[in-house]
Amino acid sequence: MILPAVPINENFRLEALKALEVLDTETEKEFDEITALANFICDTEVALISLVDKSRMWFKSKNGVSICETPRDNSLCSHAILNPETPLLVKDTREDERFNKETIQLEDKVVVFYAGIPLVNKDGFALGTLCVMDSKPRELSEKQLESLNSLAKQVVILFELNKKNNDLQKIQRKLKKKNEALKDFARVISHDLKMPLANIITTTDLLKLLLDKKLDKESLQYFDYIKTSSFSMSGYISDVLDHYESESLIHNKPEKFSLNELLKEIIELLSIKPDISFNFPENAPVLESNRSALKQIFFNLIGNSIKYNDKERIEITIDHSQDANFYYFSITDNGMGIPENQIETIFDLFTTAGMADRSGNKGNGIGLSTVKKIVENLGGSISVNSKEKVETTFNFCIKKKL
């Protein structure tokens, strides 16, 4: 065989090949199906997806042989890539002066017939070939050659899709790593800030007590502003911690518990006043689920129903139903409601409806984002329906078994 020439763009071609990150990868069903189909269509003994590396031919897929690579200098495919736009068709290698100097052999098969379609990427570089071979002279019909061309294009498309998927996975890994670092940073900062804030609140009360008779009304108000701001910051920090620690809740094992007992426990934690009435599910359902995660969901939603309520008597109704796969819940209150233009973004992190709660404080947009995150980790979804100044209903479901 006459040694094949080296393409004029060889360095760029090799860079393009390596950039695909396909060399020496595992076999894949999609590529093996293409070589099997190529053999069937052309009625040949061997079909290869052959990539021309610097000094070797490496086979991403092979049908009819078992070897994975051969030397580049002794290959027909290295000749085929010299003319990227034209298939290399050799009816009989024994009668072709380029190849008849010695017998061409692939594994235990003598290669007499060869047809190779260059695998050309979007930049025009021939990376290798989709080729078929046989041990006897042959010719391909126009339809067979057309089909082989189509299959070669599919090979290139698969290469590019695999590369995009690999790139996306790399990006996801980097983002996950950065996200973990951000979580650790937020967790450490939040913990470190809580103690100084507690000291500010305590010191403010102490100073106010010591200087009570020496300060005028306006000065005392400044102390109140400091304390109120400190409590607001402390609540914000607690919400940040809850958000980043919520993922750990998903790892808790399912347990059996009464939904109504869980709701009573939450009401005690919230220190409910007499002007608030609750309607629990009548059938007092017993659930088998992640109790801690569900407690966090209800704690946030019930807390919001109380905070964002401008009625003299607050009414909150909690309903439950289930089917074979999901538990369904709803929480309805007679509160302020949510503006229609805020409904779609209410679950986004750091997004608020822009209104103050019944104490005059504005939310930080973390609580509902945390709720959505927990619900989705439990295999469910959450939505909200609201009518301003009338009522708001949060509906969510979680999977029975994860």
Side-chain angles (χ1 to χ4, degrees):
M1 178 188 295
I2 297 175
L3 289 177
V6 176
I8 192 171
N9 58 6
E10 179 68 357
N11 289 337
F12 297 106
R13 190 193 69 80
L14 288 174
E15 285 181 12
L17 176 59
K18 290 177 181 177
L20 282 178
E21 298 177 346
V22 67
L23 291 171
D24 300 309
T25 55
E26 298 292 327
T27 58
E28 296 178 61
K29 180 183 176 184
E30 293 84 357
F31 293 102
D32 289 343
E33 288 176 346
I34 288 177
T35 51
L37 187 57
N39 254 348
F40 175 78
I41 290 172
C42 299
D43 192 24
T44 46
E45 298 173 5
V46 176
L48 304 170
I49 293 175
S50 175
L51 297 173
V52 184
D53 200 1
K54 186 174 182 179
S55 60
R56 61 170 178 159
M57 308 294 305
W58 181 79
F59 308 138
K60 175 59 182 174
S61 177
K62 62 266 185 190
N63 188 281
V65 292
S66 59
I67 59 174
C68 294
E69 60 181 67
T70 61
R72 176 173 174 174
D73 289 343
N74 190 34
S75 70
L76 291 157
C77 295
S78 56
H79 285 270
I81 65 168
L82 296 175
N83 296 295
E85 304 301 324
T86 307
L88 176 61
L89 304 174
V90 183
K91 179 180 178 181
D92 191 336
T93 58
R94 297 167 302 184
E95 297 179 0
D96 192 308
E97 61 181 14
R98 294 171 295 177
F99 313 115
N100 63 2
K101 302 299 180 183
E102 57 186 58
T103 301
I104 301 175
Q105 196 159 336
L106 185 66
E107 208 167 55
D108 59 346
K109 292 180 170 61
V110 175
V111 179
V112 174
F113 168 75
Y114 174 89
I117 309 295
L119 301 174
V120 182
N121 74 355
K122 60 183 179 181
D123 296 317
F125 298 122
L127 309 173
T129 68
L130 170 63
C131 60
V132 291
M133 307 176 189
D134 211 309
S135 58
K136 54 183 179 291
R138 313 184 56 87
E139 288 185 357
L140 295 183
S141 68
E142 187 176 334
K143 286 187 177 180
Q144 286 175 318
L145 189 57
E146 185 178 330
S147 298
L148 204 58
N149 265 299
S150 296
L151 290 175
K153 290 177 182 177
Q154 291 304 309
V155 171
V156 175
I157 290 171
L158 281 175
F159 281 156
E160 291 173 350
L161 285 175
N162 280 1
K163 179 63 169 71
K164 288 179 181 178
N165 287 335
N166 290 340
D167 289 344
L168 285 174
Q169 288 175 8
K170 287 179 182 178
I171 292 171
Q172 286 176 337
R173 286 193 291 269
K174 286 182 180 179
L175 288 175
K176 186 176 180 181
K177 191 174 180 180
K178 288 182 178 180
N179 193 39
E180 290 300 323
L182 180 61
K183 286 181 185 178
D184 291 338
F185 176 76
R187 193 177 296 114
V188 170
I189 292 297
S190 297
H191 278 296
D192 289 349
L193 286 175
K194 292 199 83 171
M195 184 56 71
L197 277 172
N199 291 336
I200 291 172
I201 294 169
T202 304
T203 303
T204 301
D205 284 337
L206 182 59
L207 285 172
K208 186 177 178 182
L209 183 64
L210 291 173
L211 302 173
D212 186 30
K213 295 181 180 180
K214 299 179 181 180
L215 298 174
D216 56 23
K217 185 177 180 182
E218 184 178 356
S219 298
L220 288 172
Q221 282 184 334
Y222 287 131
F223 278 100
D224 290 336
Y225 292 153
I226 294 171
K227 187 175 179 179
T228 300
S229 297
S230 298
F231 272 121
S232 177
M233 179 65 75
S234 181
Y236 187 88
I237 290 169
S238 296
D239 286 345
V240 169
L241 282 172
D242 287 342
H243 182 79
Y244 284 114
E245 291 175 354
S246 63
E247 287 186 2
S248 62
L249 293 174
I250 194 64
H251 301 300
N252 293 343
K253 292 182 179 179
E255 54 185 299
K256 283 190 176 181
F257 58 93
S258 165
L259 175 60
N260 289 10
E261 290 301 318
L262 175 67
L263 295 173
K264 289 176 183 177
E265 185 180 321
I266 292 169
I267 289 171
E268 288 179 9
L269 288 172
L270 290 170
S271 301
I272 301 302
K273 296 179 181 179
D275 61 348
I276 303 175
S277 62
F278 283 89
N279 299 309
F280 289 169
E282 293 182 1
N283 55 356
V286 174
L287 312 181
E288 185 170 5
S289 185
N290 187 325
R291 190 179 190 276
S292 298
L294 197 58
K295 182 178 179 180
Q296 185 68 38
I297 294 168
F298 275 113
F299 187 86
N300 275 281
L301 293 179
I302 292 173
N304 277 355
S305 291
I306 296 169
K307 283 198 300 181
Y308 295 97
N309 200 304
D310 53 357
K311 306 301 188 298
E312 287 187 11
R313 181 158 192 83
I314 298 172
E315 294 182 6
I316 299 173
T317 300
I318 300 166
D319 285 323
H320 159 269
S321 62
Q322 59 182 292
D323 58 24
N325 300 311
F326 289 90
Y327 292 120
Y328 300 93
F329 306 94
S330 70
I331 300 176
T332 301
D333 64 65
N334 64 334
M336 302 174 184
I338 303 169
E340 188 175 347
N341 62 352
Q342 300 289 332
I343 291 288
E344 292 185 4
T345 60
I346 200 69
F347 294 106
D348 294 346
L349 186 60
F350 303 124
T351 298
T352 68
M355 59 183 135
D357 62 22
R358 65 191 287 115
S359 300
N361 301 314
K362 288 190 176 182
N364 50 44
I366 298 176
L368 288 178
S369 172
T370 302
V371 166
K372 183 182 180 183
K373 189 177 181 182
I374 299 173
V375 168
E376 290 178 348
N377 282 340
L378 292 174
S381 61
I382 185 168
S383 62
V384 60
N385 297 309
S386 186
K387 195 172 183 180
E388 271 194 275
K389 304 296 182 182
V390 180
E391 67 175 22
T392 297
T393 298
F394 284 92
N395 297 290
F396 71 95
C397 65
I398 59 173
K399 273 191 176 179
K400 286 188 170 182
K401 294 181 181 179
L402 290 174

